[in-house]
Amino acid sequence: MSETVKLTLDEIQEMSLTILTKSGFGPDHAQAIADLLTTCQIDDCQSHGLFRLFMCAQTMRTGKVDGNAKPIVAPSDDAVVRVDAQGGMSLLAFDLALPILIEKTRTHGIAAMAINRCFHFSALWPEVESLSAAGLAAMAMVPSHAWVAPAGGTRGSLGTNPLAFSWPRQGKDPFTFDFSTSAVARGEIELYRRAGKPLPDGIALDKNGNPTTDPTAAMDGAMLTFGSYKGSALSIMIELLAGPLIDDLTSLESLEFDGGTASAPYHGEIILAFDPARFSGGRVAENDARAERLFADITEQGARLPSQRRFAARAQNTARGYVEIAKTLHDDLMALKDQA
């Protein structure tokens, strides 16, 4: 069993803020990123927790991202919230525009946020859960870099292209899922590489288009979508909705913009929000009961709802006041802290 290190929740924040600040992020961006990383780490979402500090620092070192960018929300009278991240990380732009999205959703029944000109590295579930906490259903989509081969292809044309959805539940954790349309997240492959473990079959291709279980070869080659043609089609849909629809980059264009610097992907994001009260004609309680009957039928037969494991980890880690991370990761983070 690999050796682990315990970190209190305050230590997660302190480490994140120190590394981000020393890397060049201003206080607003550093705080928004640190809050996200802490949230993911508490939920034992290892690939999107403290591990992502390396990408944040690398992106800043390349000079690509503006660590002090001030997002701008465009005024509008319709159901679309447009926020220009001004070349900064996406999280501050989302935080700034979130109250406006909630207000517009309650006014129109459905509304959308389009974040443009942002660097993105993070999980989407915290964003959709901030909307379900307000009683709204929500989904979010982003492209990334063109690391993923389409079904039947041999090279990267698509991003990992995650899709997240959250449904509010009265007095219970929301129904939430957040998954990449690639077979695994890019960060998972890096974690396999760091651990010296082979990948499962069906995850990736090498640079010659041949199947591989070598994580290093996979990083130099292409990932695969889940579900073959079905995952590939979903991924293309996300490219269109979070790219050309909102006047922003595709994953191919993001990778070209990167220019081999290994920075976080640069593109846009789309978030859709739905007001159950407006869509159901005010019959929220009756339709909540319908949803709960569905959830009960699923769990009573032994199936697990998405995110149940994550919510359990959150409860455990919050109650005991600390998380555990691999010692190798902690050693690398301490080195990054010293050199940032």
Side-chain angles (χ1 to χ4, degrees), residues 75 275 316:
D275 185 356
Q316 179 190 51

Side-chain angles (χ1 to χ4, degrees), residues 41 57 110 138 148 204 246-247 283:
Q41 200 65 59
I110 183 172
V148 184
I246 63 170
D247 186 34
R283 295 172 57 84

Side-chain angles (χ1 to χ4, degrees), residues 143-210:
S144 61
H145 284 332
W147 288 316
V148 184
T154 58
R155 66 176 185 272
S157 296
L158 308 171
T160 54
N161 296 6
L163 170 66
F165 173 81
S166 192
W167 174 271
R169 301 176 69 188
Q170 295 297 317
K172 298 180 181 179
D173 292 322
F175 170 85
T176 305
F177 67 76
D178 180 359
F179 56 76
S180 61
T181 48
S182 55
V184 297
R186 180 80 168 179
E188 292 286 348
I189 293 181
E190 175 63 16
L191 290 175
Y192 272 95
R193 188 190 69 78
R194 283 174 171 269
K197 297 179 180 179
L199 297 171
D201 291 329
I203 297 296
L205 306 173
D206 64 20
K207 62 183 180 182
N208 298 315
N210 299 313

Side-chain angles (χ1 to χ4, degrees), residues 100-150:
I100 303 171
L101 176 61
I102 292 173
E103 179 185 0
K104 284 184 177 292
T105 305
R106 289 179 174 150
T107 299
H108 300 284
I110 183 172
M113 181 195 299
I115 303 176
N116 292 110
R117 299 207 299 150
C118 68
F119 288 85
H120 193 276
F121 69 92
S122 53
L124 294 176
W125 61 259
E127 296 179 359
V128 291
E129 284 190 0
S130 64
L131 287 157
S132 61
L136 307 175
M139 62 175 62
M141 291 166 273
V142 290
S144 61
H145 284 332
W147 288 316
V148 184

